[in-house]
Amino acid sequence: GMLQWVNDTTMFLVFSYLIRFLEGVGAAATWTSNLSILMAKFPERKATVKAWCDASFNFGLTIGPVIGAFMYDAGGFFLPFAVTGTAILLSGIIVLLVTDFPDMEHGDVDLPVMKILSNPRVLIALATCTIGAYSVGTIEATLSPFLELMDLNVKQIAIAFLVMSLCSVLATPIFGWLCDSAFSPWIISGTGCVFMFVCYCFIGPVPYLAFFQPSFLTVCGSLVAQGFGCAAVLVASFGSAQVAAVAAGFSESMEIQAVVSGLFTSSFALGNFCGPTVSGILFDSIGFNWNCLVLQALVVIILFLNIFCAIVEPSSPEYMAIPDGTIEPTPQLDRRDSVFPELPADVIRTRPAPARRPSRLRKYSTSLSVYERNSVVY
């Protein structure tokens, strides 16, 4: 909010990039830690936890511009940022005071980040997340100029974006519940790819449907499919990454969950960065219609990869995670009250031998000799 008082252009750009950098670091740390804490609280509902986090995030994106516009009209450029920053600080303090944080078990070994990242199924899940975020960035960056070419007013453009956000908010918890209780996350992710493919068919439309004339209603209908598809892809890809890491032999500890959450956040940030950047160049070069065809190609590739992971069972892991800590010795069973009690020989063998004292007396055997045992006494 204080950037309005920076008059020098160079310093304005420097502070702008610095603020965005700090915002990205803080958002990544907050998002990853929130996911890890909630998954530790609800270990059996990981996809549902991710779904509600995404729903909250999309809800904030939906109401943020509206509330920010009112605050901007009331107090200028500084007021929205001051209120938002204060709300973030207060929410952090409330979380520290109220939340019962889970116990963190830190091992002495380094976290296997590269081993998790080298797993093919984890890579497919992360690539699915990247393409989902890429599609969101593409729509946010190029849809508004395209709708302006259709002679739509500002209110209609705002309604179109609102339709996509509301559909994503409503669909995210549903797909999270389906991933945890009904279907494999690979199947949910593939279903989301189908929705996104349909969206890109009619929103432009794609060049092979040049006879179709888009309108405001068809654009809104396509954005409904985009909202549902993107919600399914982002929620299910997170569950797929968690499932793939466990199937590869890694434990379900909080450390592994934090690593997967961090990789997922990085993949989402990569797609969210490449979407507006690459699609903006493609929009100026080949147009919105051909850009939709490029998105369809990417979605089809991800669709087949998710179908492959859903059909083909993962191979047995090369190693299994061993929990930290010493192995407790197996307790000796007391068989005195069991059906098969200890034999006298077992008792004798388990008793400690008595200590022998040296003696100077010579001991003589009183047992019979072999000759005496074989002779007959008359």
Side-chain angles (χ1 to χ4, degrees), residues 279-357:
S279 295
I281 298 174
L282 293 178
F283 181 84
D284 293 334
S285 302
I286 60 179
F288 187 79
N289 299 342
W290 286 95
N291 193 17
C292 289
L293 185 62
V294 173
L295 284 171
Q296 277 191 335
L298 296 175
V299 168
V300 168
I301 294 173
I302 295 299
L303 173 62
F304 282 110
L305 290 176
N306 281 271
I307 292 176
F308 174 81
C309 292
I311 296 176
V312 179
E313 294 293 333
S315 58
S316 58
E318 298 179 358
Y319 56 91
M320 295 297 294
I322 300 176
D324 296 333
T326 57
I327 301 175
E328 297 181 357
T330 304
Q332 297 292 334
L333 298 177
D334 188 4
R335 296 184 293 177
R336 287 177 294 182
D337 298 332
S338 62
V339 181
F340 303 99
E342 289 181 323
L343 298 177
D346 298 331
V347 177
I348 295 173
R349 282 196 296 267
T350 56
R351 289 178 180 174
R356 295 184 178 181
R357 296 181 178 179

Side-chain angles (χ1 to χ4, degrees), residues 161-209:
F161 280 98
L162 183 63
V163 167
M164 183 180 68
S165 300
L166 288 179
C167 291
S168 180
V169 170
L170 295 176
T172 298
I174 298 175
F175 286 120
W177 176 79
L178 290 176
C179 288
D180 282 332
S181 59
F183 301 100
S184 169
W186 301 108
I187 297 177
I188 300 297
S189 183
T191 305
C193 291
V194 174
F195 278 110
M196 294 168 65
F197 184 88
V198 174
C199 167
Y200 304 138
C201 280
F202 300 102
I203 194 173
V206 288
Y208 56 81
L209 295 178

Side-chain angles (χ1 to χ4, degrees), residues 189-268:
S189 183
T191 305
C193 291
V194 174
F195 278 110
M196 294 168 65
F197 184 88
V198 174
C199 167
Y200 304 138
C201 280
F202 300 102
I203 194 173
V206 288
Y208 56 81
L209 295 178
F211 60 90
F212 182 79
Q213 294 297 325
S215 63
F216 175 70
L217 294 179
T218 59
V219 168
C220 290
S222 301
L223 290 177
V224 170
Q226 168 67 16
F228 277 89
C230 185
V233 166
L234 292 179
V235 171
S237 60
F238 181 79
S240 302
Q242 294 283 347
V243 171
V246 174
F250 299 99
S251 63
E252 296 189 51
S253 63
M254 192 168 179
E255 295 177 349
I256 300 299
Q257 293 177 5
V259 170
V260 176
S261 300
L263 293 175
F264 183 87
T265 305
S266 299
S267 302
F268 181 85

